[in-house]
mmCIF file of all heavy atoms in Angstrom:
data_model
loop_
_atom_site.group_PDB
_atom_site.id
_atom_site.type_symbol
_atom_site.label_atom_id
_atom_site.label_comp_id
_atom_site.label_asym_id
_atom_site.label_seq_id
_atom_site.Cartn_x
_atom_site.Cartn_y
_atom_site.Cartn_z
ATOM 1 N N MET A 843 0.904 -1.204 -0.054
ATOM 2 C CA MET A 843 0.099 0.029 0.074
ATOM 3 C C MET A 843 0.993 1.247 0.032
ATOM 4 O O MET A 843 1.767 1.340 0.798
ATOM 5 C CB MET A 843 -0.842 0.050 1.200
ATOM 6 C CG MET A 843 -1.951 -1.082 1.394
ATOM 7 S SD MET A 843 -3.222 -1.033 -0.009
ATOM 8 C CE MET A 843 -4.094 0.512 0.774
ATOM 9 N N ILE A 864 1.848 13.304 -4.113
ATOM 10 C CA ILE A 864 2.612 12.152 -4.749
ATOM 11 C C ILE A 864 2.183 10.767 -3.980
ATOM 12 O O ILE A 864 1.499 10.889 -2.932
ATOM 13 C CB ILE A 864 4.156 12.225 -4.691
ATOM 14 C CG1 ILE A 864 4.637 12.413 -3.148
ATOM 15 C CG2 ILE A 864 4.631 13.316 -5.525
ATOM 16 C CD1 ILE A 864 6.025 12.157 -2.996
ATOM 17 N N VAL A 876 9.932 6.503 5.718
ATOM 18 C CA VAL A 876 10.177 7.361 6.848
ATOM 19 C C VAL A 876 9.165 8.561 6.857
ATOM 20 O O VAL A 876 8.995 9.231 5.757
ATOM 21 C CB VAL A 876 11.668 7.885 6.832
ATOM 22 C CG1 VAL A 876 11.891 8.966 7.914
ATOM 23 C CG2 VAL A 876 12.565 6.697 6.950
ATOM 24 N N THR A 892 18.105 25.453 -10.789
ATOM 25 C CA THR A 892 18.698 26.486 -11.688
ATOM 26 C C THR A 892 19.226 25.696 -12.952
ATOM 27 O O THR A 892 19.425 26.236 -14.047
ATOM 28 C CB THR A 892 19.947 27.215 -11.103
ATOM 29 O OG1 THR A 892 20.876 26.295 -10.769
ATOM 30 C CG2 THR A 892 19.439 28.060 -9.928
ATOM 31 N N ASP A 894 22.197 24.151 -12.828
ATOM 32 C CA ASP A 894 23.699 23.968 -12.769
ATOM 33 C C ASP A 894 24.037 22.482 -12.478
ATOM 34 O O ASP A 894 25.226 22.050 -12.939
ATOM 35 C CB ASP A 894 24.236 24.729 -11.469
ATOM 36 C CG ASP A 894 24.249 26.328 -11.796
ATOM 37 O OD1 ASP A 894 24.203 26.646 -13.064
ATOM 38 O OD2 ASP A 894 24.520 27.075 -10.875
ATOM 39 N N SER A 914 7.573 2.308 8.342
ATOM 40 C CA SER A 914 7.448 1.011 7.965
ATOM 41 C C SER A 914 8.830 0.465 7.501
ATOM 42 O O SER A 914 9.702 1.270 6.979
ATOM 43 C CB SER A 914 6.391 0.767 6.978
ATOM 44 O OG SER A 914 6.585 1.514 5.766
ATOM 45 N N PRO A 934 24.990 7.302 -0.114
ATOM 46 C CA PRO A 934 24.756 5.933 0.378
ATOM 47 C C PRO A 934 26.150 5.237 0.553
ATOM 48 O O PRO A 934 27.169 5.602 -0.068
ATOM 49 C CB PRO A 934 23.985 5.296 -0.719
ATOM 50 C CG PRO A 934 24.422 6.029 -1.993
ATOM 51 C CD PRO A 934 24.637 7.411 -1.563
ATOM 52 N N SER A 947 34.028 5.990 2.318
ATOM 53 C CA SER A 947 32.695 5.657 1.980
ATOM 54 C C SER A 947 31.906 6.806 1.305
ATOM 55 O O SER A 947 30.889 6.647 0.640
ATOM 56 C CB SER A 947 31.881 4.951 3.082
ATOM 57 O OG SER A 947 31.815 6.020 4.129
ATOM 58 N N TRP A 962 19.485 2.751 -7.280
ATOM 59 C CA TRP A 962 20.790 2.455 -7.697
ATOM 60 C C TRP A 962 20.908 1.298 -8.579
ATOM 61 O O TRP A 962 21.570 1.354 -9.666
ATOM 62 C CB TRP A 962 21.848 2.111 -6.469
ATOM 63 C CG TRP A 962 21.519 2.603 -5.043
ATOM 64 C CD1 TRP A 962 21.311 1.950 -3.991
ATOM 65 C CD2 TRP A 962 21.252 3.944 -4.781
ATOM 66 N NE1 TRP A 962 21.007 2.746 -2.954
ATOM 67 C CE2 TRP A 962 21.118 4.068 -3.375
ATOM 68 C CE3 TRP A 962 21.365 5.222 -5.438
ATOM 69 C CZ2 TRP A 962 20.834 5.177 -2.667
ATOM 70 C CZ3 TRP A 962 21.088 6.437 -4.732
ATOM 71 C CH2 TRP A 962 20.841 6.336 -3.468
ATOM 72 N N ASN A 976 6.690 8.603 -12.837
ATOM 73 C CA ASN A 976 7.804 8.548 -11.907
ATOM 74 C C ASN A 976 8.070 9.995 -11.438
ATOM 75 O O ASN A 976 8.073 10.898 -12.250
ATOM 76 C CB ASN A 976 8.956 7.947 -12.395
ATOM 77 C CG ASN A 976 8.973 6.388 -12.594
ATOM 78 O OD1 ASN A 976 8.169 5.823 -11.829
ATOM 79 N ND2 ASN A 976 9.558 5.803 -13.404
ATOM 80 N N PRO A 1001 19.687 7.931 18.581
ATOM 81 C CA PRO A 1001 18.980 7.851 19.870
ATOM 82 C C PRO A 1001 17.608 8.553 19.731
ATOM 83 O O PRO A 1001 17.392 9.546 19.092
ATOM 84 C CB PRO A 1001 19.930 8.443 20.928
ATOM 85 C CG PRO A 1001 21.294 8.411 20.230
ATOM 86 C CD PRO A 1001 21.015 8.449 18.844
ATOM 87 N N LYS A 1068 26.738 37.300 7.667
ATOM 88 C CA LYS A 1068 27.369 36.062 7.670
ATOM 89 C C LYS A 1068 28.847 36.182 8.290
ATOM 90 O O LYS A 1068 29.258 35.319 8.937
ATOM 91 C CB LYS A 1068 27.611 35.548 6.236
ATOM 92 C CG LYS A 1068 26.267 35.140 5.685
ATOM 93 C CD LYS A 1068 26.368 34.494 4.290
ATOM 94 C CE LYS A 1068 25.107 34.127 3.819
ATOM 95 N NZ LYS A 1068 25.178 33.279 2.508
ATOM 96 N N LYS A 1071 28.206 36.015 12.028
ATOM 97 C CA LYS A 1071 27.960 34.648 12.352
ATOM 98 C C LYS A 1071 29.297 33.802 12.502
ATOM 99 O O LYS A 1071 29.426 33.063 13.373
ATOM 100 C CB LYS A 1071 26.958 33.968 11.509
ATOM 101 C CG LYS A 1071 26.693 32.517 11.848
ATOM 102 C CD LYS A 1071 25.977 32.481 13.175
ATOM 103 C CE LYS A 1071 24.610 33.074 13.278
ATOM 104 N NZ LYS A 1071 23.885 32.572 14.522
ATOM 105 N N LEU A 1075 31.013 31.555 15.506
ATOM 106 C CA LEU A 1075 31.262 30.092 15.386
ATOM 107 C C LEU A 1075 32.802 29.791 15.576
ATOM 108 O O LEU A 1075 33.053 28.721 15.346
ATOM 109 C CB LEU A 1075 30.684 29.694 13.993
ATOM 110 C CG LEU A 1075 29.145 29.690 13.932
ATOM 111 C CD1 LEU A 1075 28.744 29.378 12.486
ATOM 112 C CD2 LEU A 1075 28.411 28.813 14.884
ATOM 113 N N ALA A 1077 35.586 31.965 14.072
ATOM 114 C CA ALA A 1077 36.403 32.755 13.313
ATOM 115 C C ALA A 1077 37.214 33.800 14.145
ATOM 116 O O ALA A 1077 36.593 34.443 15.045
ATOM 117 C CB ALA A 1077 35.788 33.431 12.123
ATOM 118 N N GLU A 1085 41.164 39.597 -1.045
ATOM 119 C CA GLU A 1085 42.399 40.402 -0.914
ATOM 120 C C GLU A 1085 42.796 40.725 0.487
ATOM 121 O O GLU A 1085 43.943 40.649 0.907
ATOM 122 C CB GLU A 1085 42.181 41.678 -1.816
ATOM 123 C CG GLU A 1085 43.311 42.602 -1.815
ATOM 124 C CD GLU A 1085 43.127 43.904 -2.635
ATOM 125 O OE1 GLU A 1085 41.971 44.111 -3.050
ATOM 126 O OE2 GLU A 1085 44.148 44.664 -2.865
ATOM 127 N N VAL A 1115 38.746 29.711 -7.033
ATOM 128 C CA VAL A 1115 39.826 28.818 -6.769
ATOM 129 C C VAL A 1115 41.155 29.341 -7.138
ATOM 130 O O VAL A 1115 42.114 29.210 -6.289
ATOM 131 C CB VAL A 1115 39.565 27.515 -7.798
ATOM 132 C CG1 VAL A 1115 40.683 26.567 -7.478
ATOM 133 C CG2 VAL A 1115 38.207 26.983 -7.563
ATOM 134 N N ALA A 1118 41.985 31.568 -3.979
ATOM 135 C CA ALA A 1118 42.459 30.860 -2.934
ATOM 136 C C ALA A 1118 43.827 30.231 -3.127
ATOM 137 O O ALA A 1118 44.690 30.143 -2.264
ATOM 138 C CB ALA A 1118 41.487 29.502 -2.738
ATOM 139 N N ALA A 1121 46.528 32.645 -2.328
ATOM 140 C CA ALA A 1121 46.476 32.970 -0.871
ATOM 141 C C ALA A 1121 47.309 32.012 -0.031
ATOM 142 O O ALA A 1121 47.503 32.408 1.131
ATOM 143 C CB ALA A 1121 45.128 33.078 -0.490
ATOM 144 N N THR A 1127 47.486 24.153 0.914
ATOM 145 C CA THR A 1127 46.510 23.351 0.389
ATOM 146 C C THR A 1127 45.259 24.265 0.147
ATOM 147 O O THR A 1127 44.720 24.989 0.999
ATOM 148 C CB THR A 1127 46.135 22.189 1.288
ATOM 149 O OG1 THR A 1127 47.216 21.370 1.598
ATOM 150 C CG2 THR A 1127 44.932 21.295 0.751
ATOM 151 N N SER A 1163 34.501 12.866 4.527
ATOM 152 C CA SER A 1163 34.061 12.234 5.758
ATOM 153 C C SER A 1163 33.570 10.821 5.373
ATOM 154 O O SER A 1163 33.163 10.542 4.170
ATOM 155 C CB SER A 1163 33.042 13.064 6.362
ATOM 156 O OG SER A 1163 33.491 14.256 6.795
ATOM 157 N N MET A 1172 29.570 13.310 15.019
ATOM 158 C CA MET A 1172 29.331 14.790 15.080
ATOM 159 C C MET A 1172 28.146 14.907 16.019
ATOM 160 O O MET A 1172 27.975 15.963 16.732
ATOM 161 C CB MET A 1172 28.895 15.320 13.692
ATOM 162 C CG MET A 1172 30.243 15.502 12.885
ATOM 163 S SD MET A 1172 29.962 16.280 11.282
ATOM 164 C CE MET A 1172 29.150 14.946 10.464
ATOM 165 N N LEU A 1186 23.054 27.476 13.831
ATOM 166 C CA LEU A 1186 23.186 27.476 12.417
ATOM 167 C C LEU A 1186 21.813 27.706 11.661
ATOM 168 O O LEU A 1186 21.703 28.115 10.671
ATOM 169 C CB LEU A 1186 23.616 26.166 11.913
ATOM 170 C CG LEU A 1186 25.052 25.818 12.294
ATOM 171 C CD1 LEU A 1186 25.411 24.346 11.862
ATOM 172 C CD2 LEU A 1186 26.116 26.723 11.834
ATOM 173 N N LYS A 1189 16.215 30.246 10.008
ATOM 174 C CA LYS A 1189 14.739 30.404 9.819
ATOM 175 C C LYS A 1189 14.181 28.961 9.592
ATOM 176 O O LYS A 1189 14.802 28.174 8.840
ATOM 177 C CB LYS A 1189 14.306 31.483 8.814
ATOM 178 C CG LYS A 1189 12.912 31.658 8.747
ATOM 179 C CD LYS A 1189 12.585 32.833 7.717
ATOM 180 C CE LYS A 1189 11.054 33.116 7.722
ATOM 181 N NZ LYS A 1189 10.704 34.184 6.661
ATOM 182 N N ASP A 1194 5.356 24.306 1.869
ATOM 183 C CA ASP A 1194 4.950 25.181 0.835
ATOM 184 C C ASP A 1194 5.759 26.535 0.707
ATOM 185 O O ASP A 1194 5.631 27.327 -0.246
ATOM 186 C CB ASP A 1194 3.508 25.700 1.048
ATOM 187 C CG ASP A 1194 2.508 24.567 0.978
ATOM 188 O OD1 ASP A 1194 2.702 23.631 0.174
ATOM 189 O OD2 ASP A 1194 1.471 24.604 1.829
ATOM 190 N N GLY A 1206 20.931 36.309 0.934
ATOM 191 C CA GLY A 1206 21.983 36.275 2.010
ATOM 192 C C GLY A 1206 21.434 36.435 3.374
ATOM 193 O O GLY A 1206 22.133 36.816 4.390
ATOM 194 N N ASN A 1208 20.078 33.864 5.250
ATOM 195 C CA ASN A 1208 20.240 32.477 6.026
ATOM 196 C C ASN A 1208 21.622 31.970 6.051
ATOM 197 O O ASN A 1208 22.399 31.956 4.999
ATOM 198 C CB ASN A 1208 19.278 31.483 5.447
ATOM 199 C CG ASN A 1208 17.677 31.846 5.690
ATOM 200 O OD1 ASN A 1208 17.400 32.693 6.439
ATOM 201 N ND2 ASN A 1208 17.073 31.122 4.986
#
Side-chain angles (χ1 to χ4, degrees):
M843 297 288 293
I864 60 167
V876 176
T892 63
D894 281 348
S914 55
S947 62
W962 334 125
N976 286 337
K1068 294 185 177 183
K1071 181 61 71 171
L1075 294 170
E1085 183 179 5
V1115 181
T1127 302
S1163 302
M1172 289 184 290
L1186 300 174
K1189 186 174 180 179
D1194 295 325
N1208 290 345

